Amino acid sequence: MGVGGGPAGLCYAGAEDSNLSWRRGSLAVAQRLRSSARDPSGPSAVAMERYAGGYEEAADGARQQERHYQLLSALQGLVKELPSSFQQRLSHTTLSDLALVLIDGTVFEIVQGLLEIQHLTEKSLYNQRLKLQSEHRVLKQTLLNKHKEAQQACRPHNLPILRAAQQREQEAVEHRIREEQRMMDEKIVLELDQKVVDQQSTLEKAGVTGFYVTTNPQELTLQMNLLELIRKLQQRGYQPGKPFP
């Protein structure tokens, strides 16, 4: 056996080592597969999650596209109710951009909030003006009563002097009333103008097409028409995530 058995023995040992290595490798692969099946974060689970995520994104994209088409069609129908001069300025691109920002409903909420603030402001200013007018009526009536009492207590020969003084006093009061009314009206105009600026700025930041801070009458009219379109859509029952009525 001596010399001849040496190599034979080495060859046999090598085959046994090779077989053992193969078995160990197989066990390792099987172990990894079992581990992957038990572990939800394994390669197979990750692949499935990615597939599901891609499917959801595609479905969301399709829904968004459908909502965009519905809103655009509704806007195009509403535009036909406007004067022809304004219809020309509301191009397909403008309406498409407007429909895009309306999809998730956020702009509807913003517009509703702005309108509520505007109504509260107008009501407050109106009440302030009514209060001022009431104060002026009381002031004029008080002055009239005062003048009558003074004339009744005045001696006849002093009446011309008294009436002249009362006339001057009445003119001064009327001037004061006119100035206070003018100042109130200016205050109302300034506050309403500021509300317009606030609305323009807020809607511009929200990405609503056509809105930016401007005092140009034509641009203001366009913005008013855009707001009217948004308001009518809301009145007709638009709700995000539901079919358009």
Side-chain angles (χ1 to χ4, degrees), residues 91-203:
S91 65
H92 178 84
T93 301
T94 299
L95 294 178
S96 179
D97 290 344
L98 179 59
L100 196 61
V101 299
L102 294 176
I103 289 176
D104 68 355
T106 302
V107 171
F108 287 107
E109 296 177 2
I110 293 173
V111 169
Q112 183 62 33
L114 291 174
L115 289 176
E116 289 175 0
I117 293 172
Q118 178 180 326
H119 291 157
L120 289 173
T121 301
E122 290 174 350
K123 183 177 180 180
S124 174
L125 293 171
Y126 176 73
N127 289 335
Q128 289 178 40
R129 199 174 195 281
L130 286 181
K131 181 182 177 182
L132 182 63
Q133 290 175 338
S134 177
E135 291 173 353
H136 288 163
R137 283 194 297 270
V138 171
L139 178 61
K140 288 192 286 187
Q141 187 61 47
T142 300
L143 182 64
L144 179 61
N145 294 338
K146 173 186 171 183
H147 286 178
K148 284 183 178 180
E149 292 175 1
Q151 289 176 13
Q152 291 172 356
C154 182
R155 294 181 179 181
H157 65 277
N158 288 331
L159 275 176
I161 299 174
L162 176 63
R163 285 172 178 167
Q166 288 178 341
Q167 181 65 28
R168 291 192 296 272
E169 185 179 17
Q170 183 176 351
E171 290 175 354
V173 168
E174 290 176 350
H175 176 74
R176 169 189 164 186
I177 289 173
R178 287 194 300 271
E179 282 299 302
E180 289 181 352
Q181 287 178 337
R182 181 186 62 78
M183 292 173 64
M184 173 59 72
D185 290 342
E186 287 181 355
K187 175 186 175 183
I188 290 173
V189 170
L190 287 174
E191 289 203 28
L192 292 179
D193 284 347
Q194 184 57 50
K195 282 293 172 287
V196 171
V197 171
D198 293 343
Q199 291 174 356
Q200 291 172 331
S201 178
T202 300
L203 292 171

